[in-house]
Amino acid sequence: MSAAYHILLDIFPLLWSGLITGCLYALGALGLVMIFKSSRVVNFSHGNVAGLAAFLIYGFSSGTLLTLSWSAAVLMAVVAVIAIAFLSYAIVAPIMAKSDLTATIATLSLGLIAQGVTLLVFGADIVPLDLPLPRFSASLLGLRITGYDLTVLAVAVATIVGLFLVIDYTKLGVAFRAISANPIAAEICGLNLRSVHLFAWTVSAVLGVIGALLIVPTTFLSVTTVATFMLQAFAAAVLGGFSSLPGALVGGIAIGILMNLFTFYVSPEFTNTFLLVVILVALNVFPNGIFASTGGTRV
Amino acid sequence: MSDSILTMRQERSSLDLRKMVASERIVAGAIIPVLILLPLFVAGSWTYALGVCFANSIGVLAVSALVRYGGEVSIGHSFFAAVGAYSVAILETRAGLPLSISLPVALVAGVLCGIAFAWPSRRLSGIYLAVSTMALALAMPEIIVNADTWTGGFEGLYVSKPLIPGIGIELQRYYVPLVALAVVVYCLSRLRQSRQGRALLLARSHPAAADAFGTRRAWARVSIMGISGGIAAISGAMLAFASSAVSPTVYTFWSSIFLLVGSVVSFYGLTLPRALIGGAFLTLVPQVLSGSGAWIPVLYGLVMLVVILAGHYGPQLSSILFRRGEKR
């Protein structure tokens, strides 16, 4: 009786904090899926660019580069990241038309450059990056709910609901769905492929910044933290099937909870190995994602 | 109409290709004697660097073979290299076995790991393989560090047994990787001529036709990953032998990406000169830039991007130039 009670006492906080970090993985995964759905490219520079953005916010607000207020720093970093997204798309788009594989390799090289620039400007040291969060903490059913948790939940829900509303109801969103379903037919119908691609790349970059900003308070900010955070996002996207937005959302939360349970009950040292196993198992059990519709292929 | 233009262009480019292959064969024929005689003339530090360079060249070949025959990109080949390197190192420290026994073991281990790894994603498109290789590369260092009773943890292990007793170990650290590189290049050129190689290429370029001829795509995916994993394991074994030590810092996610950089820089070539270009790029650039380490990723990324863009825009540019030449 008391053993079961203790397990329950352990498991609720684990599920709760898993849900919180899972929302952040979902934000990262949504960005990857947006780009993959519309342009058939896996953007391997996603994590590195988001990491660069987090460092830019640190640099703009701490006085390393500039001394701005926090919101101005965030705004400038978002502008910088959108500029990077446009530039990346301008470089990758012509290659994309010819070979998805080469375009994917090109995003890797962009990621290398982003990583190198971060190292050059900010060095390899760990820096603290604080968020102006409401100081708040409450206890509910044995859970400790902090201001950070609620902020993350609120921002993630607002962003994701907003994104889904845009995709479901606006013209741009309809064009996005049309292009991801059948790019050739969509172009024949007069849709502008380029503007929809740019929409996807921009939204993805902004989602990456939001995810990076919110994940940083749980760890420190170093050159590698955000890039490793993105492995979880990749795992979430694979779990969701890589071309389904709801799949990415559910995958992200599932990964967050699974990771938490694994680090608590098994081992905190093998997190990447665990993710590898999750990815491999997911590929075997749900090869097309959790929400896969079954269908045949035509030869 | 457009079809005939396309085939004409393809014929022209395949003619160019044949010329290039022929010229590369001449270059390879000239390079081999030079490399054999080189240790007589240069200092010991250079033979050491070149030995490491040959080992890296084999790793570059592993990635290029996967791209060429499988149409897949891997950013996790440091895993297979680590499997090879640690097979050699552990067999030496635990059982006292020399390279002549541990190298075949490393090769088999690499092939098995490649097959085991490609199996889950055998029916899926290449991006899944790329993402799971990324997880593989990120998982490897923590496995090595935590299995420290076998792998020596952060400190790593030493590899000091010579392959042939009685000959100076410095010379062996140069010649053994060179011979291995030559053998791998030869085997890959035989693969291109063989039934298996052609079946793999067909499965890559015309999957439906390959299905009709009885080549299953899943088989093609798994077998090329096995071949590539085996080559990468040889590269790791050679790297361990040439640098006389293994440690987890050599087999990280970044080293996987660097292998891909080397492969891109050599235009995914499977010939000896191309492999040497890729290997030299990986070995010599960090030495030259050792004072300013942060520039290495920037430089690698830029070079990779320039090579990709050159490969993309090169044919267009040359055709524009060619037409201008005709008008004159």
Side-chain angles (χ1 to χ4, degrees):
Chain A
M1 180 65 204
S2 84
Y5 176 72
H6 272 288
I7 286 174
L8 273 182
L9 213 61
D10 281 341
I11 214 157
F12 272 119
L14 285 176
L15 290 179
W16 172 252
S17 61
L19 175 74
I20 302 297
T21 40
C23 284
L24 298 176
Y25 301 153
L27 284 179
L30 282 172
L32 292 169
V33 170
M34 289 275 297
I35 289 183
F36 182 72
K37 252 175 103 80
S38 60
S39 40
R40 298 279 134 197
V41 170
V42 181
N43 183 11
F44 277 108
S45 68
H46 196 55
N48 296 321
V49 171
L52 178 61
F55 264 102
L56 281 179
I57 293 171
Y58 163 76
F60 288 146
S61 61
S62 72
T64 315
L65 299 176
L66 292 169
T67 318
L68 296 171
S69 73
W70 191 81
S71 49
V74 171
L75 198 68
M76 279 190 61
V78 167
V79 169
V81 163
I82 291 176
I84 293 173
F86 271 68
L87 189 66
S88 316
Y89 179 71
I91 291 170
V92 172
I95 307 170
M96 216 154 67
K98 217 164 147 191
S99 153
D100 300 343
L101 195 76
T102 318
T104 301
I105 299 177
T107 65
L108 260 173
S109 67
L110 292 172
L112 265 178
I113 296 173
Q115 175 92 0
V117 168
T118 316
L119 264 175
L120 273 179
V121 179
F122 297 98
D125 298 333
I126 292 170
V127 299
L129 178 66
D130 282 327
L131 292 183
L133 292 174
R135 297 240 171 270
F136 165 80
S137 162
S139 232
L140 188 74
L141 295 170
L143 288 180
R144 245 188 100 250
I145 298 168
T146 59
Y148 169 74
D149 295 346
L150 294 181
T151 318
V152 168
L153 213 56
V155 171
V157 166
T159 317
I160 290 166
V161 168
L163 180 64
F164 280 25
L165 284 178
V166 166
I167 286 173
D168 275 352
Y169 294 109
T170 63
K171 244 183 168 168
L172 199 56
V174 176
F176 171 76
R177 282 186 287 148
I179 279 176
S180 46
N182 190 339
I184 296 169
E187 209 174 12
I188 289 170
C189 293
L191 289 175
N192 186 349
L193 220 61
R194 187 143 297 164
S195 64
V196 173
H197 282 174
L198 276 175
F199 161 71
W201 283 69
T202 314
V203 169
S204 157
V206 174
L207 288 176
V209 178
I210 298 174
L213 252 189
L214 291 176
I215 196 80
V216 166
T218 60
T219 69
F220 286 103
L221 181 59
S222 79
V223 183
T224 49
T225 39
V226 181
T228 29
F229 153 65
M230 280 301 163
L231 176 64
Q232 274 91 309
F234 271 105
V238 167
L239 206 57
F242 235 107
S243 45
S244 146
L245 292 173
L249 179 58
V250 174
I253 292 171
I255 290 283
I257 291 173
L258 283 176
M259 289 282 293
N260 247 358
L261 294 177
F262 178 81
T263 46
F264 187 81
Y265 286 111
V266 188
S267 153
E269 281 152 359
F270 287 99
T271 48
N272 288 342
T273 317
F274 176 66
L275 280 174
L276 172 67
V277 172
V278 168
I279 288 177
L280 291 181
V281 169
L283 287 180
N284 259 332
V285 182
F286 332 99
N288 295 312
I290 310 173
F291 296 134
S293 54
T294 47
T297 51
R298 280 197 297 177
V299 178
Chain B
M1 177 68 195
S2 64
D3 278 357
S4 65
I5 288 173
L6 208 69
T7 45
M8 269 172 67
R9 261 190 208 152
Q10 272 173 354
E11 262 167 29
R12 192 196 285 161
S13 66
S14 75
L15 270 178
D16 286 352
L17 214 68
R18 248 174 256 161
K19 266 185 217 158
M20 261 170 73
V21 168
S23 67
E24 272 182 28
R25 223 169 251 170
I26 295 167
V27 172
I31 280 180
I32 290 174
V34 171
L35 287 179
I36 290 176
L37 294 177
L38 205 59
L40 297 176
F41 304 109
V42 297
S45 64
W46 274 97
T47 55
Y48 170 82
L50 282 169
V52 173
C53 166
F54 299 146
N56 277 329
S57 302
I58 302 174
V60 168
L61 280 175
V63 178
S64 300
L66 186 65
V67 174
R68 276 283 166 98
Y69 286 94
E72 323 242 30
V73 22
S74 158
I75 45 179
H77 262 54
S78 66
F79 175 86
F80 302 109
V83 167
Y86 276 93
S87 308
V88 169
I90 291 173
L91 281 178
E92 187 185 312
T93 45
R94 290 273 158 162
L97 293 173
L99 196 66
S100 50
I101 295 169
S102 56
L103 185 62
V105 174
L107 173 63
V108 171
V111 171
L112 288 180
C113 285
I115 291 172
F117 182 71
W119 190 253
S121 55
R122 67 196 177 279
R123 294 186 201 287
L124 296 159
S125 70
I127 55 139
Y128 288 98
L129 194 86
V131 172
S132 36
T133 53
M134 180 172 118
L136 192 63
L138 284 167
M140 193 61 192
E142 64 186 29
I143 297 175
I144 296 175
V145 168
N146 282 299
D148 52 356
T149 47
W150 286 90
T151 61
F154 280 114
E155 288 169 16
L157 298 168
Y158 287 99
V159 178
S160 52
K161 260 206 162 88
L163 178 65
I164 308 157
I167 299 175
I169 187 85
E170 271 76 28
L171 281 181
Q172 292 198 30
R173 283 187 181 137
Y174 178 87
Y175 283 113
V176 172
L178 178 60
V179 170
L181 175 62
V183 170
V184 169
V185 167
Y186 177 73
C187 290
L188 281 173
S189 75
R190 297 303 302 166
L191 178 70
R192 179 68 185 78
Q193 309 292 326
S194 70
R195 269 179 80 88
Q196 303 295 318
R198 286 170 194 220
L200 286 174
L201 283 177
L202 184 66
R204 187 217 152 156
S205 52
H206 302 284
D211 276 352
F213 279 109
T215 301
R216 274 176 301 138
R217 262 176 285 173
W219 169 83
R221 280 224 168 98
V222 171
S223 65
I224 186 57
M225 200 65 198
I227 292 171
S228 176
I231 298 173
I234 295 178
S235 124
M238 284 303 128
L239 196 60
F241 185 74
S243 64
S244 76
V246 290
S247 80
T249 50
V250 187
Y251 304 102
T252 58
F253 177 55
W254 292 107
S255 31
S256 291
I257 291 193
F258 293 163
L259 283 180
L260 183 65
V261 172
S263 168
V264 171
V265 167
S266 60
F267 280 106
Y268 315 116
L270 297 178
T271 56
L272 185 65
R274 301 276 197 96
L276 281 172
I277 291 173
F281 195 75
L282 287 193
T283 321
L284 302 180
V285 167
Q287 281 204 343
V288 173
L289 288 179
S290 58
S292 46
W295 281 102
I296 293 173
V298 178
L299 184 80
Y300 276 7
L302 282 176
V303 169
M304 199 163 154
L305 204 57
V306 166
V307 170
I308 289 172
L309 291 175
H312 181 73
Y313 291 109
Q316 291 174 8
L317 281 178
S318 71
S319 75
I320 290 169
L321 291 176
F322 188 62
R323 264 182 224 150
R324 271 194 198 150
E326 270 182 346
K327 271 179 196 164
R328 273 176 210 160

